[in-house]
Amino acid sequence: MRKLHLLPPDVFDELAATGGGPETVELLKRTRHSQTLLAIRQFVDHRPDLLELLTVLAAAQAAAPTRVAAVLTYPWVSVWISRALRDGWTVRDRQHLAAVVTAASLRAQIVEPVPPLLLADGGQIVLPTLGVLTVSGQVPRRLTTTDLRDSGWLRLRTVTNGQCHPRSEIIVDDLDPHRDCHGFSVTGRVDDRTWTIWRDTLRNAGCLLATYAPDRHDEVAVGLSSAVPLQAAAAGADISATHRDAFGGFAASLPRSPAELAATMIHEFQHSKLHAIATLVNLHHGDDQRTYFAPWRPDPRPLVGALHGAYAFTAVAGFWHAMRADPTLEHQATLRFATMRAEVNRVLPDLLAAPGLTQSGQRFVASLATAAGRLCRHDVPRKVERHAARRLHQLERQWRQRWGPSA
Amino acid sequence: MELERPSAELPDHTALPDVSDAPLIELLQDRDPELLAALARLTEIAKDSAPVTFGWNSAIVR
């Protein structure tokens, strides 16, 4: 009997209530690992010429399974392999698979010839999780760590969270071509000044989370593995995004402050969690065409979009409530908390009645609504509460004027 | 907003095979019909679904 990924009901309920904890996050990460391995297995049936290459990968896995899993579950590797599965295999995919196998072999510290290692445009070999090697002259038959010290080597930069969580690492990826998958413009290689901002803000965001929201901190410390810098949008706007297949990866414009980045990390990781849950449990029927009002967006949202928003913002509302304990952020945090709390509690009753939910989907939304309802136990100043209610009312009125009462 | 929930065990599982601990060398040679069916299902799901990205732009509403 083959082992399946099954979510126990109590774990499902915890996830639905926006939590889960680090062990559950590991479980979700394993589902992504399975999906990638199954995709690899699927390619072999159609492309037996890949077997030689994949045998090298298997040797690396046998030598260092955890290190190889870190490459195979790297968000931009997941995006690439899912795209290849969906759209079909191309010559470039053969090229990238060789690079993935090379990266896995280097991480496993085994030196195997990778047959044949091809070059991407510009004479480059993109090694996921490691960096980019620009090759002048003959293409190497194999790479060793010595090659990663040459002048043609550009390494990816990693942020470790120092004292707050020594084992937590996030790769700030400004090199991997498959990171460009969010519909927003990515930056190129960021300069030293920008990198310093990313590094310091990620570290400080991690410390804020460890101090004020330790449960969230423990989840993102285990789950988030890569951040992709995005180009700035309109003045003053923050952009962030998560791709369905990129578990543990997110993209964002340059963070304005540790607190804003911490909120973004929670928000985006909730999307990752919900995408992963949806690979294990069908939460909705695919044929539901209804749309819903979501105060955080100007457009009518399909059920899945509204659910993702409610899931992310319920968690972020809880974060801002926790941040009210920080004397320097109390006012901002209270305002954000009251606003988001009002928004999610407006949306969730509509979702509870959504006919497109499966039985498990109804259970999921019920747990989420209970979690959002619990946020209402916390007092906020009456003035702030009134402001949040007025703002919500105004947004809904504008939305209904534009889209009509039944959108 | 405490709500009554169905008490039954969780339905609607996708039954994704757990191969996360499988040695790749064995997986590459695995011809088990259950696995092959799962692979076909995985490909079908991938082809039927467009890539989804959820983005957030603070300037849109705020």
Side-chain angles (χ1 to χ4, degrees):
Chain A
M1 187 96 171
R2 191 166 285 280
K3 198 164 69 161
L4 301 174
H5 283 291
L6 297 174
L7 274 180
D10 57 330
V11 174
F12 179 81
D13 290 340
E14 276 181 41
L15 282 166
T18 78
E23 284 180 17
T24 300
V25 169
E26 289 285 6
L27 184 154
L28 296 178
K29 201 189 273 187
R30 283 202 300 277
T31 69
R32 184 57 246 181
H33 192 200
S34 280
Q35 284 178 282
T36 297
L37 289 171
L38 288 168
I40 288 171
R41 172 64 184 76
Q42 178 73 328
F43 292 139
V44 171
D45 273 355
H46 300 283
R47 298 295 309 262
D49 58 305
L50 299 178
L51 194 57
E52 189 184 2
L53 198 49
L54 292 173
T55 304
V56 177
L57 183 61
Q61 188 209 40
T66 308
R67 290 178 185 181
V68 171
V71 175
L72 295 181
T73 56
Y74 189 57
W76 321 120
V77 170
S78 304
V79 167
W80 159 68
I81 207 153
S82 300
R83 204 270 309 135
L85 192 65
R86 184 175 60 249
D87 299 343
W89 192 260
T90 67
V91 173
R92 281 175 182 271
D93 293 317
R94 166 67 180 73
Q95 194 177 63
H96 197 61
L97 177 62
V100 170
V101 172
T102 304
S105 301
L106 287 165
R107 284 203 171 268
Q109 296 177 323
I110 65 166
V111 180
E112 293 276 349
V114 177
L117 195 58
L118 300 175
L119 297 181
D121 295 340
Q124 293 186 326
I125 300 169
V126 178
L127 298 174
T129 75
L130 293 172
V132 170
L133 183 66
T134 302
V135 177
S136 52
Q138 201 175 359
V139 181
R141 175 79 176 142
R142 70 188 75 190
L143 289 178
T144 67
T145 48
T146 310
D147 297 303
L148 309 188
R149 296 189 200 112
D150 287 353
S151 57
W153 175 241
L154 198 56
R155 73 174 175 86
L156 283 168
R157 291 167 290 193
T158 300
V159 179
T160 50
N161 207 354
Q163 291 178 326
C164 294
H165 201 294
R167 287 185 305 142
S168 159
E169 285 188 354
I170 291 185
I171 296 172
V172 177
D173 201 326
D174 48 9
L175 295 174
D176 193 312
H178 298 282
R179 78 194 189 284
D180 188 3
C181 60
H182 300 93
F184 295 116
S185 300
V186 295
T187 69
R189 178 69 162 180
V190 298
D191 59 28
D192 287 347
R193 181 186 153 274
T194 309
W195 154 246
T196 303
I197 296 172
W198 269 103
R199 183 197 63 199
D200 294 349
T201 316
L202 275 165
R203 278 185 183 156
N204 292 333
C207 287
L208 271 185
L209 286 169
T211 305
Y212 294 105
D215 291 348
R216 295 287 169 208
H217 173 269
D218 291 350
E219 283 196 0
V220 299
V222 170
L224 283 182
S225 56
S226 183
V228 167
L230 292 175
Q231 289 181 27
D238 298 322
I239 321 171
S240 61
T242 299
H243 188 282
R244 179 188 60 190
D245 299 316
F247 183 83
F250 73 102
S253 50
L254 191 66
R256 279 190 291 165
S257 71
E260 296 289 349
L261 181 58
T264 297
M265 289 160 76
I266 293 171
H267 180 119
E268 299 305 333
F269 191 56
Q270 290 300 107
H271 284 309
S272 262
K273 282 163 66 182
L274 186 47
H275 283 307
I277 295 163
T279 66
L280 299 177
V281 182
N282 292 315
L283 299 176
H284 64 94
H285 307 294
D287 54 355
D288 184 6
Q289 300 299 314
R290 289 177 193 232
T291 55
Y292 297 84
F293 166 61
W296 46 84
R297 293 272 300 223
D299 48 339
R301 301 295 289 150
L303 175 57
V304 179
L307 180 57
H308 263 271
Y311 190 60
F313 281 114
T314 302
V316 177
F319 163 73
W320 283 118
H321 171 65
M323 290 308 299
R324 296 170 71 193
D326 183 317
T328 63
L329 291 167
E330 185 186 357
H331 176 70
Q332 178 196 0
T334 301
L335 198 61
R336 293 288 191 93
F337 168 62
T339 304
M340 286 182 192
R341 177 177 73 172
E343 289 177 352
V344 294
N345 281 291
R346 166 63 191 85
V347 170
L348 281 162
D350 288 353
L351 297 185
L352 274 172
L357 294 173
T358 61
Q359 192 182 338
S360 290
Q362 287 168 358
R363 179 175 178 141
F364 187 90
V365 175
S367 289
L368 177 58
T370 302
R374 276 194 214 109
L375 297 174
C376 297
R377 296 175 186 165
H378 304 296
D379 288 334
V380 296
R382 196 169 293 173
K383 189 177 162 190
V384 175
E385 181 105 53
R386 277 201 302 268
H387 168 79
R390 266 200 310 273
R391 182 182 168 283
L392 177 61
H393 178 72
Q394 187 185 4
L395 285 172
E396 183 159 7
R397 198 183 60 215
Q398 288 169 351
W399 190 91
R400 298 218 175 272
Q401 280 170 354
R402 183 170 180 192
W403 302 106
S406 60
Chain B
M1 207 185 287
E2 298 286 341
L3 295 153
E4 192 180 328
R5 288 197 309 237
S7 60
E9 287 299 292
L10 205 60
D12 310 309
H13 264 112
T14 57
L16 177 74
D18 183 354
V19 295
S20 56
D21 293 331
L24 183 57
I25 198 71
E26 288 175 21
L27 187 64
L28 293 174
Q29 293 155 6
D30 194 337
R31 307 291 308 168
D32 174 19
E34 266 186 53
L35 179 76
L36 298 181
L39 294 178
R41 204 168 60 244
L42 190 73
T43 310
E44 207 172 297
I45 291 168
K47 286 186 174 169
D48 281 352
S49 49
V52 178
T53 296
F54 287 110
W56 163 247
N57 183 333
S58 64
I60 290 177
V61 172
R62 290 164 204 280

